[in-house]
Amino acid sequence: MNVLVTGGTGFIGRHLISSLLGQNAKVRILTRSHERFALLRQAAEITTAVIGDLADPATLRGLCAEIDTVFYLASYPGLEDLSPVYTPSDGHWRITVSGTSSLLAEAVQAGVKQFVFVSSVKAMGEGAPDCLDEDAPAHPDSAYGHAKLEAEQHILAAGRVHGVHVCVLRLPLVYGPGSKGNISRMIRAIDRGYFPPFPEVGNRRSLVHVDDAVQALLLASELPQANGKTYIVTDGQTYSTRTIYEAICRALGRPVPRWSAPVSLLKLGASIGGAVGKLWGHPMPLNCDVFDKLIGSAWYSSDKIARELGFWPQRTLYDALPEMIAEYRRGSSAS
């Protein structure tokens, strides 16, 4: 199998490539950086790397030649941009919407058989108190989410028009070894003593381990019943900020504080952090956006992918934390 992976030097991409190489696939990646590709080559033998930019259609010509399957994992790095709208000059539009359309055109012309797009639950929106599934109305509240939703629509339409097997996977926060996301930042903050004992506010959040995200990607590309479908992928657990906090404390070998910071005090600290961040021109660790995420819910069901594709998550945050913390400690000692 000849495979193209965009975003192959990223967190999920590296794990996907490792799995693909284990299946003797020939992997080609698109990257803007020779240096990042060189780092990837230290860990895995990639058949081909093409230097190009999804925002520049001219660099994509011939990229999909002799490719059977495309995994689109690339994303604009400005993930924390929470502005509700975006324009054609915005990076989210250039990479996620325009870049997807350009690569789709190349894939169709080259006769690619499968095209799997990694989207995000942010295409649906966050903050709802109830568990959402694929039938819930999409109400993205950020430029990132709007761009993902628009790209999803382009992909599903192209699949219908051109007869290509297409599938969209909406992922929540992905954790696991190599992650630089919110869970890893939380581990570091708790270990260094500047993450306050968060109260139990009853919020509910969905997560997924990177190994299970890769499992879903492979199922979406291999099974014909995935064609034309959109699936949410989670680890099947429900976490509150407090339960995550306590689990990290225990995995670090630290006692869980018997007290918790009042929500009103945290909200005040977030307001102050937001004001200071604006003055300094850099976001503070605790600001209003971070506070809203900490107390808000982002709760989703992956029953559909379990029912239709036989997806069964193998990992939870609880059993993944020891490995993540061991990696964190190796990094801390090296620095």
Side-chain angles (χ1 to χ4, degrees):
M1 180 171 63
N2 296 321
V3 179
L4 169 68
V5 180
T6 70
T9 59
F11 170 47
I12 302 173
R14 295 193 304 272
H15 285 264
L16 172 63
I17 287 171
S18 177
S19 181
L20 290 168
L21 293 174
Q23 298 181 5
N24 296 319
K26 294 182 179 180
V27 180
R28 180 184 304 168
I29 68 169
L30 174 70
T31 179
R32 292 179 297 170
S33 166
H34 287 280
E35 290 77 14
R36 294 187 72 184
F37 175 64
L39 291 173
L40 188 61
R41 286 296 294 264
Q42 294 176 8
E45 184 68 25
I46 310 302
T47 303
T48 309
V50 176
I51 305 300
D53 190 339
L54 286 163
D56 183 359
T59 66
L60 306 181
R61 289 173 189 156
L63 178 63
C64 294
E66 300 181 351
I67 292 294
D68 302 305
T69 302
V70 172
F71 291 99
Y72 193 109
L73 279 66
S75 188
Y76 181 63
L79 177 57
E80 298 304 321
D81 176 10
L82 298 178
S83 58
V85 296
Y86 67 103
T87 67
S89 63
D90 182 273
H92 293 293
W93 190 91
R94 289 185 290 107
I95 299 299
T96 304
V97 181
S98 180
T100 300
S101 296
S102 297
L103 188 59
L104 267 171
E106 289 290 328
V108 169
Q109 185 176 17
V112 167
K113 299 179 180 66
Q114 294 90 22
F115 194 109
V116 180
F117 180 73
V118 171
S119 185
S120 166
V121 293
K122 292 181 183 292
M124 305 173 66
E126 297 181 300
D130 300 320
C131 184
L132 303 180
D133 62 17
E134 293 83 355
D135 293 328
H139 297 296
D141 54 11
S142 66
Y144 176 81
H146 280 286
K148 285 292 189 183
L149 182 60
E150 188 171 345
E152 290 180 10
Q153 294 164 349
H154 285 309
I155 290 161
L156 296 173
R160 291 190 296 268
V161 171
H162 300 288
V164 180
H165 173 111
V166 297
C167 186
V168 171
L169 298 182
R170 290 174 172 169
L171 305 184
L173 188 152
V174 182
Y175 60 87
S179 167
K180 305 296 182 185
N182 289 341
I183 298 297
S184 296
R185 287 193 285 269
M186 217 171 150
I187 290 171
R188 182 172 62 251
I190 292 172
D191 186 51
R192 296 180 180 181
Y194 56 77
F195 194 100
F198 209 84
E200 180 58 77
V201 295
N203 65 327
R204 297 178 175 182
R205 303 196 70 87
S206 295
L207 311 172
V208 68
H209 192 281
V210 64
D211 290 349
D212 289 320
V214 168
Q215 178 199 164
L217 281 161
L218 297 176
L219 290 172
S221 69
E222 295 166 358
L223 299 182
Q225 57 267 40
N227 185 24
K229 301 291 184 63
T230 297
Y231 295 108
I232 297 169
V233 186
T234 79
D235 65 8
Q237 304 291 313
T238 303
Y239 306 91
S240 71
T241 302
R242 177 69 188 191
T243 59
I244 295 172
Y245 175 84
E246 292 181 357
I248 292 174
C249 285
R250 294 189 184 98
L252 285 166
R254 291 176 169 271
V256 177
R258 294 173 179 248
W259 64 281
S260 59
V263 172
S264 57
L265 182 61
L266 291 170
K267 188 173 183 179
L268 175 62
S271 298
I272 295 171
V276 172
K278 287 181 180 179
L279 287 174
W280 284 7
H282 298 285
M284 299 296 289
L286 181 61
N287 55 50
C288 292
D289 290 334
V290 171
F291 176 77
D292 289 343
K293 287 182 180 179
L294 289 172
I295 67 167
S297 291
W299 181 26
Y300 305 92
S301 168
S302 55
D303 288 350
K304 180 181 175 182
I305 192 171
R307 183 174 63 251
E308 296 187 2
L309 303 189
F311 170 78
W312 191 258
Q314 303 297 308
R315 305 295 302 275
T316 70
L317 179 63
Y318 305 117
D319 67 68
L321 278 173
E323 183 180 14
M324 295 177 68
I325 287 172
E327 180 183 61
Y328 156 72
R329 285 177 170 153
R330 287 194 298 269
S332 296
S333 61
S335 60

